[in-house]
Amino acid sequence: MSDFSRTQLDSIFAQSVAGRCTTSHWPDAGLNEDEQELDDLPATALRSQPPLLPELSELQVVRHFTRLSQRNYAIDSHFYPLGSCTMKYNPRICHTLAMLPGFLNRHPLLPDRLGQGVLSCLHELQQMLCYLTGMAGFSLAPMAGAQGEFAGVAMIRAYHRARGDLDRCEMIIPSAAHGTNPATASLCGFGVREIPVTADGDVDLDALRAAVGPKTAGLMLTNPSTLGVFERRVEEIAAIVHQAGGLLYYDGANLNAIVGRVRPGDMGFDAVHVNTHKTFATPHGGGGPGAGPIGVNDRLLPFLPLPLVGQDAAGGYRLLDETDRPQSMGRVTAFTGNIGVLLRAYVYLRLLAMPGLQRVSTYATLNANYLMERLRQAGFQLAYPQRRATHEFIVTLQPEARQFGVTALHVAKRLLDYGCYAPTIYFPSLVPECLLIEPTETENREELDRFAAVLSVIRQEAISDPERVRTAPHHTPVQRLDETRAARQPDLVWRAPTH
Ligand SMILES: *Cc1c(COP(=O)(O)O)cnc(C)c1O
């Protein structure tokens, strides 16, 4: 490494020069007004030493953080087929309009009459989500998919209790479910009754029939399932659960394959949450922010979490509270939910309308099926080779792991060397050595071809030079990380530089 190596610039502290500040190009630079204001504070509240912070110009700070941001993978720079996260391009206009100053600067305690604009957008969003899912009412309050699930299952509990039906203590969940489903059920006090799926990915109906009974509170189902296939006998499933006195919960975290085409309400579901931060103009991977609105049919309507946006006879909007909805399950958020994310979803839905949304599901499924066929041709083993892909599909690398000792993790790391973000790996846990691949509708054919070609090259490498794949990545700023330690024991404590 030369003396001019970039790594010298990696630490913002190494660049620090005493006395340099970000405001040196301002006209009043050098006037220490702040320090005079500190005279009013009692001595006990003042530091004796200034904080040890790096001292840099504004330009240095901008360059430092821009450089760091470019080391990451993002939708704006790389193909990002992270299954179950719908990392598609979200039109900038959705963000721009959601960030209009009138929205951004509105105080959450502003009286309803001064916020008619934002309330009308949220009211319309409630209605559009009802229309898309076949539900009778929607609450926008939950701030994540998991929180929407919690609200939905809490309402199912409230429904049985309100009817004096107190023995219903079990939630049935297929083994293909997302981990949040059993977690939600137990958080709400239900026992989890797991049922298997068949070899071709559908719920095992015999097992379902054997599992339902007077203890059944309901069933939680994801359709398309996390196996990337559409449950073909969903109406039969709904009939079995309803006949046993249970309700059906639809995990609608991923609507990309069905939006504008099939409605959970028509499949027989009583409650559904959607992740606006997957399908509706906010990406999921990366950790938030999100919004997980929860919708219900007439049965569960009185229990919806507050606040809801209501409209009076004269057309005015207002937030409904406990006096309007005495049976409400309560509140899951301090105010009205994550409005910035909800407004993005609102703009996206207004922008696309039904024809646009149908194009989303058409191309999301076309792209997934196209890529799946390309990978089949390249010699990869599909987890469900007889099934059509939905918005995503699964490749299993079990043959490569057995023959060449190259696992899903190795291939995922090697993909980074070729400028592709990796698909989801080791989820769903039912399929060993799996890659869950979701290309999304916003990628073009050349990008899909390129990804298929890269995976083929890596497969050839696994045969001819497996060590090269096993030790990847080779071209990223950092190589293998201890991911468990980084997540469980993150070292976020800043220490003074020792020079
Ligand atoms: C993403 C996802 C969830 C959870 O959503 P969060 O917003 O991350 O809480 C639940 N179920 C399925 C099937 C998902 O893909």
Side-chain angles (χ1 to χ4, degrees):
M1 287 277 187
S2 74
D3 286 350
F4 302 109
S5 157
R6 268 233 173 133
T7 52
Q8 284 197 334
L9 300 176
D10 275 2
S11 163
I12 197 167
F13 294 100
Q15 302 172 59
S16 177
V17 171
R20 185 168 290 167
C21 65
T22 60
T23 57
S24 46
H25 55 281
W26 291 9
D28 59 354
L31 294 180
N32 265 333
E33 279 171 42
D34 284 358
E35 275 172 30
Q36 282 157 23
E37 278 162 17
L38 295 182
D39 290 350
D40 296 340
L41 290 174
T44 49
L46 292 176
R47 287 173 167 277
S48 54
Q49 296 282 328
L52 284 167
L53 292 173
E55 296 175 79
L56 287 81
S57 73
E58 184 171 315
L59 174 59
Q60 283 181 296
V61 173
V62 167
R63 282 198 183 141
H64 176 75
F65 287 107
T66 303
R67 196 155 45 227
L68 288 187
S69 76
Q70 288 166 347
R71 293 184 164 194
N72 223 331
Y73 286 75
I75 304 172
D76 287 351
S77 54
H78 298 84
F79 181 50
Y80 211 120
L82 189 66
S84 205
C85 285
T86 313
M87 301 298 281
K88 61 185 179 181
Y89 174 70
N90 299 124
R92 287 291 192 278
I93 188 70
C94 301
H95 182 72
T96 307
L97 294 185
M99 293 298 121
L100 286 176
F103 290 136
L104 209 54
N105 298 331
R106 178 179 169 272
H107 193 280
L109 292 176
L110 206 65
D112 291 349
R113 69 186 162 78
L114 298 177
Q116 289 294 297
V118 68
L119 290 183
S120 77
C121 294
L122 297 178
H123 187 262
E124 237 175 86
L125 178 60
Q126 286 174 187
Q127 289 181 316
M128 288 190 287
L129 291 175
C130 284
Y131 182 74
L132 286 176
T133 56
M135 292 290 125
F138 248 91
S139 165
L140 306 175
M143 305 240 237
Q147 211 185 16
E149 274 177 51
F150 172 76
V153 174
M155 282 188 272
I156 291 177
R157 186 179 58 179
Y159 169 84
H160 291 308
R161 280 192 186 164
R163 292 156 45 98
D165 199 352
L166 302 179
D167 292 337
R168 300 195 175 270
C169 56
E170 278 181 3
M171 193 57 74
I172 300 173
I173 301 178
S175 54
H178 193 269
T180 48
N181 293 183
T184 296
S186 36
L187 206 59
C188 290
F190 291 116
V192 173
R193 182 127 182 197
E194 189 179 300
I195 53 167
V197 293
T198 61
D200 58 3
D202 288 324
V203 166
D204 183 331
L205 284 193
D206 292 335
L208 177 62
R209 281 195 197 91
V212 295
K215 285 187 175 175
T216 303
L219 168 101
M220 297 180 82
L221 194 75
T222 311
N223 192 25
S225 74
T226 63
L227 304 177
V229 298
F230 189 86
E231 181 61 60
R232 290 172 288 193
R233 287 168 302 182
V234 65
E235 285 161 313
E236 231 174 301
I237 293 172
I240 294 169
V241 175
H242 278 151
Q243 270 156 28
L247 297 187
L248 284 106
Y249 185 85
Y250 182 92
D251 179 340
N254 316 103
L255 282 196
N256 241 34
I258 65 155
V259 66
R261 309 223 162 250
V262 191
R263 308 193 308 168
D266 299 335
M267 297 181 210
F269 288 88
D270 301 286
V272 47
H273 88 266
V274 302
N275 277 32
T276 56
H277 50 296
K278 280 177 182 167
T279 311
F280 302 114
T282 300
H284 177 267
I294 174 77
V296 292
N297 61 14
D298 286 323
R299 267 182 179 143
L300 294 172
L301 208 50
F303 307 106
L304 272 177
L306 295 166
L308 301 163
V309 185
Q311 193 175 20
D312 59 33
Y317 299 98
R318 79 185 168 85
L319 292 175
L320 305 183
D321 61 19
E322 285 75 0
T323 18
D324 303 291
R325 297 291 183 107
Q327 279 187 291
S328 164
M329 62 159 283
R331 288 173 189 258
V332 293
T333 173
F335 295 107
T336 1
N338 218 339
I339 293 202
V341 176
L342 295 168
L343 287 172
R344 286 218 282 259
Y346 170 75
V347 177
Y348 185 72
L349 287 170
R350 290 294 303 257
L351 200 65
L352 267 66
M354 275 307 265
L357 289 169
Q358 286 175 343
R359 260 196 331 271
V360 166
S361 46
T362 300
Y363 283 97
T365 49
L366 177 64
N367 278 1
N369 280 283
Y370 176 78
L371 187 55
M372 182 171 87
E373 286 312 317
R374 291 294 311 258
L375 295 180
R376 193 202 304 259
Q377 288 161 11
F380 285 98
Q381 185 174 322
L382 304 175
Y384 298 98
Q386 313 298 335
R387 304 293 302 269
R388 210 172 343 170
T390 53
H391 57 294
E392 58 191 353
F393 63 96
I394 301 178
V395 161
T396 170
L397 297 176
Q398 212 172 20
E400 288 80 2
R402 287 211 182 109
Q403 291 174 46
F404 319 116
V406 167
T407 65
L409 177 70
H410 298 145
V411 170
K413 295 292 184 195
R414 188 65 176 140
L415 274 168
L416 301 179
D417 282 336
Y418 287 100
C420 297
Y421 195 79
T424 298
I425 54 173
Y426 300 109
F427 173 83
S429 51
L430 277 185
V431 183
E433 297 299 338
C434 66
L435 302 178
L436 179 60
I437 303 172
E438 181 178 10
T440 83
E441 76 281 8
T442 56
E443 298 298 333
N444 59 37
R445 183 171 165 180
E446 297 81 63
E447 196 63 42
L448 301 179
D449 286 341
R450 198 180 82 82
F451 181 68
V454 166
L455 268 180
S456 301
V457 168
I458 296 175
R459 193 163 182 279
Q460 292 311 313
E461 289 178 342
I463 299 166
S464 59
D465 186 5
E467 195 53 21
R468 181 98 183 123
V469 185
R470 280 197 290 263
T471 51
H474 304 285
H475 304 306
T476 48
V478 288
Q479 270 69 52
R480 285 296 176 93
L481 301 172
D482 184 338
E483 284 150 4
T484 312
R485 250 191 77 211
R488 303 262 160 84
Q489 302 162 346
D491 182 4
L492 304 176
V493 179
W494 180 78
R495 290 175 197 86
T498 49
H499 55 78

